[in-house]
């Protein structure tokens, strides 16, 4: 079976994890601090806060943006469910906006249509690793006092206007789940510009402790910690961070390989009339976290039949994206989202992973050409 994704992990990650285990300190400690510094450097932001997942990271971003009960937060329905769930964790109300069919992302127009006087924040997703147009969405939001939080779950190694994606975002959250390009098993990273907000989020991810467990351990004097507000256990472990440090060094090579394979797909699939594929937007570059294709409306077979056909031929493919507003958990929220509904119905994610061979890729392409 050709998998839809396979993380590129090897001896180096295994050794790094083993060293962390043998060091005797496996919870959040020096390796997490080192990973945070390295990640902040790679994204070009002053602060990075390692967390247990992008989902918990998004929750912290919303708190950092001052979002609370009664506030509205504009999100794309066309996203993994965690984008919307995070809004609920903050006690706020998700408001769904439609997306652009070429990038799968919110646009200034769709955001503007969803904004009300109660909107406190927008979660702008770099969907499948295609950067969203942050500056254009900020231009709509900032005059109204609305914070734009970047859901950069898929965006490690992505560029926006020549710089790392999320660099310009006040708050952003990355994912290190194995389905993404850079993985630590589970894990995430919040990036922030404001020192005060970053310090608060660092406390909140560790039960809102005034002095971290690692700092108390390192201290030669007795230190009693305090708790000024209700916090969370959203920590990353040093074992995960050790793996993350290795993965971060490999990131440029991983992105380069994905882009090479994606370009091969684009060429090979160009003979299918009306097929739209993931590609770079005019203002940035994608890491092809997912290589998706959207079938034309008049395609001879349906998306679901195509998924079955791929599975029968040993190819594991997936619906490209779910739509939260069509799930029972959010069906009570009314929304008119024609582009989202077409994309969730007609799009497929094709296999793409670092060690994929050209022969494997050709096998996938062959199924798409089958009449
Ligand atoms: C994967 C993903 C998440 C959730 O990431 P976790 O690290 O698994 O919590 C959130 N948003 C988007 C857009 C994602 O693709």
């Amino acid at each position: 079976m050709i998998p839809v994704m396979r993380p590129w992990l090897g001896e180096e990650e295994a050794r790094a994890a083993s060293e962390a285990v043998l060091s005797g300190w496996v919870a959040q400690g020096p390796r997490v601090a080192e990973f945070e510094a390295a990640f902040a450097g790679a994204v070009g932001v002053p602060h990075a806060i390692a967390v247990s997942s992008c989902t918990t990271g998004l929750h912290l971003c919303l708190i950092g943006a001052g979002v609370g009960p009664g506030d509205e937060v504009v999100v794309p329905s066309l996203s993994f469910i965690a984008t919307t769930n995070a809004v609920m964790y903050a006690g706020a109300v998700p408001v769904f906006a439609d997306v652009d069919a070429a990038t799968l992302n919110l646009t200034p127009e769709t955001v503007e249509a969803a904004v009300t006087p109660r909107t406190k924040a927008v979660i702008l997703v770099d969907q499948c690793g295609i950067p969203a147009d942050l500056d254009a969405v900020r231009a709509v939001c900032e005059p109204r006092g609305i914070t734009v939080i970047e859901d950069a779950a898929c965006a490690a190694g992505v560029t926006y206007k020549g710089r790392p994606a999320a660099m310009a975002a006040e708050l952003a959250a990355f994912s290190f789940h194995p389905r993404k390009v850079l993985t630590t098993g589970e894990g995430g990273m919040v990036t922030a510009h404001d020192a005060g907000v970053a310090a608060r989020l660092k406390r909140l991810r560790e039960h809102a402790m005034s002095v971290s467990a690692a700092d108390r351990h390192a201290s030669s004097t007795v230190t009693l910690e305090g708790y000024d507000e209700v916090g969370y256990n959203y920590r990353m472990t040093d074992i995960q961070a050790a793996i993350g440090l290795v993965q971060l060094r490999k990131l440029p090579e991983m992105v380069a390989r994905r882009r090479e394979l994606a370009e091969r797909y684009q060429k090979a699939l160009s003979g299918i009339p009306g097929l739209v594929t993931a590609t770079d937007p005019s203002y940035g570059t994608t890491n092809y976290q997912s290589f998706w294709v959207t079938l034309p409306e008049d395609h001879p077979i349906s998306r679901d039949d195509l998924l079955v056909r791929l599975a029968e031929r040993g190819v594991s493919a997936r619906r490209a994206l779910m739509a939260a507003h069509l799930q029972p958990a959010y069906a009570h929220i009314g929304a008119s989202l024609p582009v989202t509904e077409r994309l969730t119905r007609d799009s497929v994610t094709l296999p793409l992973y670092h060690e994929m061979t050209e022969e494997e890729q050709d096998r996938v392409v062959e199924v798409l050409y089958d009449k």
Side-chain angles (χ1 to χ4, degrees):
M1 199 77 182
I2 298 176
V4 70
M5 177 65 157
R6 187 193 291 147
W8 186 38
L9 293 165
E11 283 300 323
E12 232 191 313
E13 285 87 349
R15 248 193 322 273
S18 157
E19 281 165 18
V21 169
L22 295 173
S23 77
W25 188 277
V26 289
Q28 177 186 295
R31 286 173 173 83
V32 166
E34 197 188 332
F35 187 34
E36 287 173 337
F39 199 86
V43 176
V45 292
H47 308 284
I49 302 128
V51 286
S52 52
S53 70
C54 176
T55 308
T56 56
L58 286 171
H59 182 195
L60 292 183
C61 287
L62 288 161
I63 295 171
V67 172
D71 293 331
E72 291 180 0
V73 178
V74 175
V75 294
S77 167
L78 190 80
S79 185
F80 182 56
I81 193 92
T83 308
T84 306
N85 285 347
V87 176
M88 300 297 285
Y89 303 162
V93 180
V95 175
F96 295 124
D98 214 350
V99 294
D100 169 65
T103 63
L104 315 184
N105 290 326
L106 298 179
T107 69
E109 294 75 26
T110 65
V111 168
E112 184 134 40
V115 158
T116 77
R118 289 166 64 197
T119 309
K120 184 82 180 180
V122 173
I123 300 183
L124 185 63
V125 181
D126 301 308
Q127 197 53 260
C128 298
I130 296 181
D133 194 351
L134 178 67
D135 290 349
V137 172
R138 280 171 70 165
V140 169
C141 293
E142 284 174 3
R144 297 172 161 101
I146 298 168
T147 305
V148 181
I149 294 166
E150 196 161 331
D151 179 343
C154 307
V158 169
T159 69
Y160 175 65
K161 297 188 176 172
R163 303 199 291 187
M167 179 175 169
E170 215 171 294
L171 288 161
F174 290 81
S175 171
F176 306 134
H177 183 273
R179 185 65 188 78
K180 319 298 181 187
V181 176
L182 185 169
T183 188
T184 59
E186 292 276 1
M189 190 74 77
V190 170
T191 56
H193 282 266
D194 185 273
V197 171
R200 180 175 173 221
L201 299 191
K202 276 194 176 185
R203 287 192 301 273
L204 282 176
R205 62 110 186 250
E206 193 177 14
H207 306 288
M209 260 177 225
S210 59
V211 187
S212 78
D215 286 351
R216 276 183 287 128
H217 178 76
S219 169
S220 53
T221 58
V222 173
T223 315
L224 293 182
E225 81 285 8
Y227 302 85
D228 292 340
E229 57 182 326
V230 177
Y232 307 90
N233 180 357
Y234 286 172
R235 284 175 299 211
M236 175 184 277
T237 68
D238 255 27
I239 306 171
Q240 291 167 300
I243 295 170
L245 280 161
V246 176
Q247 287 267 295
L248 187 60
R249 284 197 293 276
K250 288 162 70 170
L251 181 63
E253 198 184 336
M254 294 195 276
V255 173
R257 178 62 180 155
R258 296 187 75 78
R259 289 181 59 81
E260 203 173 272
L261 286 165
E263 201 178 311
R264 226 179 146 263
Y265 261 141
Q266 285 157 347
K267 285 207 185 93
L269 297 172
S270 62
I272 300 176
L275 189 81
V276 175
T277 74
T279 190
D280 288 332
S282 58
Y283 50 76
T285 60
T286 173
N287 58 5
Y288 291 104
Q289 180 268 335
S290 284
F291 186 82
W292 52 265
V293 301
T294 304
L295 305 178
E297 306 248 24
D298 59 355
H299 200 61
I301 77 165
S302 74
R303 191 275 313 272
D304 290 346
D305 289 344
L306 176 62
L307 285 176
V308 171
R309 188 180 284 185
L310 284 159
E312 282 169 0
R313 302 274 293 273
V315 178
S316 169
R318 294 278 187 283
R319 163 174 77 181
L321 281 164
M322 57 166 298
H325 78 288
L326 300 179
Q327 295 301 317
Y330 293 108
H332 61 282
I333 300 178
S336 165
L337 306 167
V339 181
T340 294
E341 288 182 10
R342 161 147 160 69
L343 293 172
T344 193
R345 186 184 66 227
D346 294 338
S347 300
V348 184
T349 294
L350 300 179
L352 184 63
Y353 45 92
H354 191 82
E355 293 164 300
M356 187 176 203
T357 65
E358 297 194 348
E359 292 69 34
E360 286 171 328
Q361 203 178 24
D362 293 344
R363 263 175 61 200
V364 178
V365 170
E366 226 171 77
V367 185
L368 273 107
Y369 275 97
D370 268 5
K371 284 281 177 323

